[in-house]
Amino acid sequence: MSAYVVGMDLGSTSAECVVIDERREIVATAVVETGTVSRKGLQRAIDEAFGEAGIERDLVRAVAATGYGRRLVPGGADFVFTEISAHARGVAALFPGVRLVVDIGGQDTKAIQVDEAGRVERFAMNDRCASGTGRFYEGLAHALETDIESLGEFASRGKADLEISSLCATFAVTEVIALLAKGHDPADIAASVHHAAAARTLGLIGQVGKASPVALTGGVARNAAVVHSLSEALGEELLIPENPQITGAYGAALLAAESLDGGSQPDQNATAPAPPHDHGGSGSCADCAGSKTESSVTMLTLTAPSGRVV
Amino acid sequence: MASLLEDKSNRLRMTGRGGELVGAYWDELFTARERGAQVVWYNGHALNPLFQAAGISWCHGEAFSARLAAQHLEGPAQLAGEEYGYVNELCSYSRTHLGCAVLTNDFGESETGIVDTVDQRELASRLPEPDFFVNGYQGCSTGQQWDQMSYRILGKKVPIFTLSLPYMFGSKPDAGYLVGEEWETATDYVVDQLEKLIEFLEVQTGRPFDHDKLGEIMSYIKAASQLRREAMALCMAKPAPATYWDWVASIAHINFMPAEQRLIDYFQGVKDEVADRLASGVAGVADERYRLYFDGIMNWNKLGWLARKFADADAAVICGRYTHQNFWQEPQLIDPENPLRGLAQHYLLCSNSQGFKTLKQAMTKDCDDYGIDGVIFHASRTCRAYTNHQHLLARVAENQLGIPTAFFEGDIADAAFYKDEILETRLAALLETIDAKRARN
């Protein structure tokens, strides 16, 4: 029996794959850093997800794709959605009632206002400027001689608010180097850049209009300093998924499942197959496939004071 | 959306005929010197009826830049402009045309070696040097200086006349579309300016200006415009028998082609074809599912591409600010017996000259009249004048009309500023948002 729907998000810096069962619950996830849009990276994500779920591929009912590389899915996708709709749907499942989604990925920032059902009402995207995106923070981390995983914690130590005049992904690095040369504390510089980038994101949100509650998705949501700065700029807590990178892939899978079922709700009485899976300590899909409900998604523990853990 | 393997756009057949007319116009201009005609370079509003009445050959700078871009021949001129010293953030219309001035002037061997002599010969030999300049631009600061720059490039050797045109803020209590003190006062002012321009033309040509000829010319324009507007109105039907791209393709004709019987014949042909399609149920987009409004100047490098791209998504772009709120759009204002007033009022009606209040009113009316589902904004990188109000207009569409919007970046004549993936994603998201709205309703 074909039971599973696969959602894939092939972005500019990573590939994500999510497998959901017929109750639309996540049974496996995989995130592969690719460096750029990569068919091979997507294939690796698919292999990892299927390996984790331990399911046969002929049990897959449909494949849905989103992201810049959505047309690169091996064998083609049954459904294709934009990241905007996919993130909106994913967030609506993770956090019912959210009205504003801010997705910050590898090179895009999106502000998406959604209705009560998670349907897109309006959206705005950054223009061709990578300010405040994953690429931007990679450059910042490099200039500050730290790694991207540590950048958020590093910036959280900063106290001063320095003036950052350029948020161009290229020129900001030049400015950071100049500030370092003047003897400023690298943590202060990191914190100041995060504040400035948050202010810019606020402008994008202004285009669609602020609405509450707000969820932050995309890989950059793992950066605690971004969460803190944006939360402070918005004046409210942000909802952060446990694994913010998979939100688009998850949303694409849900949209595909709903399309297959004519928009109906999942059959809660359906019995999901119980695939053997070994999480290997990743915890990302939880030992949960048979019992987890949408509202019980485990949240990433953040050091940011404003990121609410649900 | 699938890749563009199949062309689902259904452009009007008359577009081909129109292309021949435009080609003939430029060929005639390129030979103006051989015919002993005087040549004026001008920018901004459609001053061509005055030049035609004065017996002068005219070159509209923006139009020439747009033509080069549409033919993918803009590269050498833009490179020449950059080599001369203009940065690529400058309006690409002006950068292209200024590049033409550089090439026309034939400075000899390129200083930097970037623009080679082949480029110089190809372009310089085609666009004849001007005998004088006339600038008539408002709402765009680059436009106001553009001919001044050309004037300097050509060594300040030819006269220049700058027409002063007020911006229509629409802020007075009685201000409104075609009404109010501001409208009347501004009209009187521009009429006075046109009378001064006519005096300048008389000096340049050494002949008295032919006012009867101007009246005759304006009667052709009035008739052509009426036909164009009637043909556009037929596209309120669902599905629309023609699309925005068809109206873009006929901008040249209404905006700067010689006003004569064949102009009327052309627009009669356009209207007949649209009416025939309507009668036989033929649509401008094979499977029209979405009706869009396009705000922004045309991305001339991408006319055919965009027509196919939107059609591929079953999106019929029906109307837009550029095509529907410009170019003799109120023909009832034209009085062949008193032509200067109608000319002046159309210069004031250019959407570049209008404050937000009027733009909002016009967009709202077009969205209502044409049954618009979504608005797509072309944020032209080097045209600040046209992008100034776009976020305000988007807010009106979203909040007051309940119509979803999306932006994509591109440019009027510099292809480097357009990225297909950006439009691809945003158009798909716009259509998904329209679907979501329909589902809600």
Side-chain angles (χ1 to χ4, degrees):
Chain A
M1 174 186 170
S2 294
Y4 302 99
V5 174
V6 179
M8 301 176 188
D9 182 355
L10 184 50
S12 54
T13 57
S14 64
E16 292 86 26
C17 182
V18 170
V19 182
I20 62 171
D21 64 19
E22 59 193 1
R23 291 180 300 177
R24 300 177 193 169
E25 291 171 357
I26 297 173
V27 296
T29 66
V31 177
V32 171
E33 301 299 329
T34 57
T36 184
V37 173
S38 155
R39 196 190 293 263
K40 283 182 184 169
L42 184 59
Q43 187 61 57
R44 274 172 48 212
I46 295 167
D47 293 343
E48 281 187 23
F50 276 91
E52 182 178 310
I55 57 174
E56 296 299 324
R57 297 188 188 204
D58 57 8
L59 289 178
V60 172
R61 194 178 173 201
V63 172
T66 188
Y68 275 114
R70 57 191 181 274
R71 307 207 186 288
L72 298 178
V73 172
D78 301 298
F79 296 92
V80 172
F81 303 101
T82 64
E83 292 162 89
I84 292 155
S85 294
H87 277 267
R89 185 63 192 94
V91 166
L94 294 169
F95 306 119
V98 158
R99 301 305 296 267
L100 180 67
V101 181
V102 180
D103 171 55
I104 309 181
Q107 60 183 33
D108 273 346
T109 303
K110 309 172 196 74
I112 310 161
Q113 202 181 97
V114 298
D115 66 12
E116 64 286 345
R119 289 175 298 223
V120 177
E121 282 195 312
R122 60 189 67 172
F123 66 93
M125 293 176 72
N126 58 323
D127 55 20
R128 284 178 299 156
C129 166
S131 170
T133 66
R135 290 272 188 231
F136 173 84
Y137 288 112
E138 281 175 10
L140 179 64
H142 181 71
L144 294 172
E145 296 180 308
T146 184
D147 60 77
I148 189 70
E149 299 299 331
S150 311
L151 181 65
E153 193 274 328
F154 184 73
S156 299
R157 295 203 301 264
K159 301 284 183 258
D161 192 7
L162 306 171
E163 186 181 340
I164 305 292
S165 59
S166 173
L167 283 174
C168 163
T170 303
F171 293 121
V173 171
T174 308
E175 193 161 341
V176 165
I177 292 166
L179 289 168
L180 286 169
K182 287 179 184 170
H184 288 288
D185 180 344
D188 286 345
I189 297 171
S192 304
V193 171
H194 279 75
H195 289 150
R200 191 176 171 99
T201 304
L202 206 59
L204 195 68
I205 292 169
Q207 289 180 28
V208 298
K210 187 187 164 193
S212 297
V214 186
L216 181 63
T217 65
V220 172
R222 294 164 58 208
N223 178 326
V226 169
V227 176
H228 176 74
S229 299
L230 188 57
S231 170
E232 202 170 64
L234 279 168
E236 71 174 86
E237 292 183 339
L238 307 178
L239 297 164
I240 318 292
E242 176 191 7
N243 187 349
Q245 281 173 282
I246 65 159
T247 315
Y250 178 40
L254 289 172
L255 288 168
E258 286 159 2
S259 297
L260 289 168
D261 298 336
S264 66
Q265 293 300 308
D267 179 2
Q268 296 296 340
N269 297 317
T271 303
H277 60 277
D278 173 7
H279 307 302
S282 74
S284 60
C285 84
D287 39 347
C288 50
S291 59
K292 192 174 66 177
T293 61
E294 287 178 345
S295 59
S296 70
V297 173
T298 311
M299 298 300 300
L300 178 71
T301 303
L302 291 162
T303 54
S306 310
R308 183 153 66 95
V309 175
V310 177
Chain B
M1 285 180 286
S3 57
L4 300 177
L5 298 176
E6 178 193 357
D7 183 3
K8 291 170 73 178
S9 69
N10 184 18
R11 308 270 297 277
L12 293 175
R13 285 191 316 275
M14 278 301 287
T15 300
R17 171 76 187 121
E20 292 168 15
L21 292 174
V22 176
Y25 160 78
W26 286 110
D27 285 342
E28 194 169 320
L29 176 66
F30 295 149
T31 57
R33 288 270 170 243
E34 287 87 321
R35 290 180 285 105
Q38 282 184 300
V39 176
V40 57
W41 285 14
Y42 73 111
N43 276 304
H45 300 301
L47 301 169
N48 46 295
L50 296 156
F51 304 140
Q52 186 179 351
I56 303 160
S57 293
W58 59 94
C59 172
H60 190 238
E62 292 142 296
F64 192 60
S65 298
R67 178 168 176 78
L68 289 176
Q71 294 180 314
H72 306 290
L73 295 173
E74 74 282 19
Q78 290 181 359
L79 206 53
E82 286 192 48
E83 187 188 42
Y84 189 78
Y86 295 109
V87 297
N88 72 346
E89 295 284 338
L90 178 69
C91 159
S92 59
Y93 274 167
S94 63
R95 186 156 32 97
T96 308
H97 191 224
L98 290 166
C100 290
V102 171
L103 295 173
T104 300
N105 203 29
D106 190 8
F107 288 103
E109 196 167 326
S110 163
E111 192 178 315
T112 64
I114 298 296
V115 180
D116 65 28
T117 50
V118 175
D119 296 330
Q120 285 197 24
R121 281 195 210 105
E122 281 185 356
L123 281 172
S125 64
R126 304 215 77 186
L127 199 60
E129 269 192 63
D131 292 286
F132 54 94
F133 295 99
V134 176
N135 182 274
Y137 228 134
Q138 88 277 48
C140 167
S141 57
T142 301
Q144 290 167 11
Q145 298 166 46
W146 175 349
D147 289 313
Q148 294 281 350
M149 294 188 267
S150 299
Y151 168 73
R152 283 166 171 74
I153 288 172
L154 296 181
K156 304 182 185 178
K157 290 180 289 196
V158 295
I160 183 165
F161 183 94
T162 299
L163 198 69
S164 166
L165 297 161
Y167 187 82
M168 303 295 286
F169 290 95
S171 51
K172 292 195 174 175
D174 69 341
Y177 189 64
L178 311 185
V179 296
E181 184 192 344
E182 182 185 33
W183 172 247
E184 295 301 332
T185 307
T187 299
D188 292 342
Y189 177 80
V190 178
V191 167
D192 181 61
Q193 287 286 306
L194 293 177
E195 284 167 350
K196 290 182 169 63
L197 172 59
I198 287 170
E199 289 171 20
F200 172 81
L201 295 178
E202 286 177 330
V203 171
Q204 298 309 315
T205 60
R207 299 186 292 271
F209 186 79
D210 189 340
H211 288 273
D212 292 339
K213 179 75 176 169
L214 180 63
E216 182 192 338
I217 287 165
M218 291 313 294
S219 68
Y220 287 126
I221 288 175
K222 179 172 183 159
S225 174
Q226 281 168 335
L227 290 165
R228 179 172 176 267
R229 299 299 297 184
E230 286 163 11
M232 285 174 158
L234 294 175
C235 297
M236 292 178 191
K238 297 181 180 179
T243 62
Y244 175 79
W245 318 111
D246 294 310
W247 309 123
V248 169
S250 65
I251 283 175
H253 310 78
I254 197 68
N255 191 36
F256 65 85
M257 296 273 288
E260 50 200 12
Q261 183 58 43
R262 65 177 172 174
L263 186 69
I264 297 175
D265 296 343
Y266 169 71
F267 280 106
Q268 183 67 59
V270 169
K271 187 188 166 191
D272 289 348
E273 187 178 353
V274 174
D276 287 347
R277 282 184 171 199
L278 190 60
S280 51
V282 175
V285 167
D287 305 304
E288 178 187 302
R289 287 197 296 141
Y290 309 96
R291 295 168 69 86
L292 304 184
Y293 177 95
F294 190 99
D295 188 280
I297 294 194
M298 189 56 212
N299 188 329
W300 287 103
N301 316 82
K302 299 288 176 188
L303 174 53
W305 174 255
L306 292 179
R308 291 191 294 278
K309 191 163 194 73
F310 280 80
D312 189 60
D314 301 332
V317 182
I318 309 290
C319 58
R321 173 155 55 123
Y322 192 38
T323 48
H324 287 58
Q325 296 166 38
N326 291 291
F327 313 119
W328 310 112
Q329 70 271 40
E330 299 288 359
Q332 76 283 2
L333 297 176
I334 299 172
D335 176 5
E337 299 299 317
N338 180 20
L340 290 188
R341 201 160 182 82
L343 282 161
Q345 290 180 326
H346 276 94
Y347 301 152
L348 293 170
L349 281 175
C350 170
S351 63
N352 250 4
S353 316
Q354 297 293 327
F356 172 63
K357 189 174 159 186
T358 304
L359 295 180
K360 171 183 157 182
Q361 187 183 335
M363 181 187 74
T364 300
K365 185 176 186 311
D366 281 344
C367 286
D368 286 346
D369 288 349
Y370 289 92
I372 295 300
D373 300 313
V375 180
I376 186 91
F377 288 90
H378 173 218
S380 177
R381 174 65 172 263
T382 69
C383 181
R384 307 301 187 206
Y386 226 85
T387 53
N388 271 343
H389 301 93
Q390 287 186 323
H391 280 293
L392 291 172
L393 291 171
R395 214 168 284 172
V396 169
E398 297 268 6
N399 298 342
Q400 295 180 27
L401 308 181
I403 295 175
T405 67
F407 281 74
F408 75 100
E409 291 78 33
D411 193 52
I412 44 183
D414 189 337
F417 290 118
Y418 173 83
K419 289 288 175 286
D420 197 51
E421 179 58 32
I422 289 179
L423 173 59
E424 173 99 9
T425 299
R426 297 185 190 190
L427 176 59
L430 174 65
L431 303 183
E432 286 174 359
T433 308
I434 293 170
D435 286 338
K437 185 188 165 201
R438 287 172 175 168
R440 271 196 296 278
N441 297 334

